[in-house]
Amino acid sequence: MRIIRRKSRLQRLRATVEDSLAAPLARRIHLLSRPSGKTAKAGLIAAGGLTGLTAGSAGISSLRRRSEGAEDDS
């Protein structure tokens, strides 16, 4: 007769968490190993957007300092 070994509740929870974490990690490793044209294009778009936001924020800060008449104490 074959003995069936059942997992405890904690063992099942651990297995579920490990499986959940393994799939996204495998996808990330795959994307990093050889980026496709779409991935590279999306990365460039994201970098361009971040650059635009940074430049816009710096411009707004500069205008705000000028309008408040701040002195160059720094």
Side-chain angles (χ1 to χ4, degrees):
M1 182 172 189
R2 187 173 170 187
I3 299 175
I4 299 174
R5 293 188 178 177
R6 296 184 180 197
K7 292 182 178 180
S8 70
R9 181 178 273 175
L10 184 61
Q11 288 172 329
R12 286 193 309 264
L13 176 65
R14 181 179 175 199
T16 302
V17 170
E18 286 175 351
D19 291 344
S20 298
L21 293 176
L25 181 62
R27 275 186 259 141
R28 277 186 264 152
I29 290 172
H30 173 70
L31 289 176
L32 292 175
S33 63
R34 187 177 52 123
S36 66
K38 289 183 180 181
T39 305
K41 186 176 181 178
L44 288 174
I45 291 170
L50 183 61
T51 303
L53 286 173
T54 303
S57 176
I60 290 170
S61 295
S62 175
L63 289 174
R64 185 174 294 146
R65 282 193 302 269
R66 286 183 192 168
S67 68
E68 292 175 353
E71 298 176 5
D72 195 17
D73 291 337
S74 56

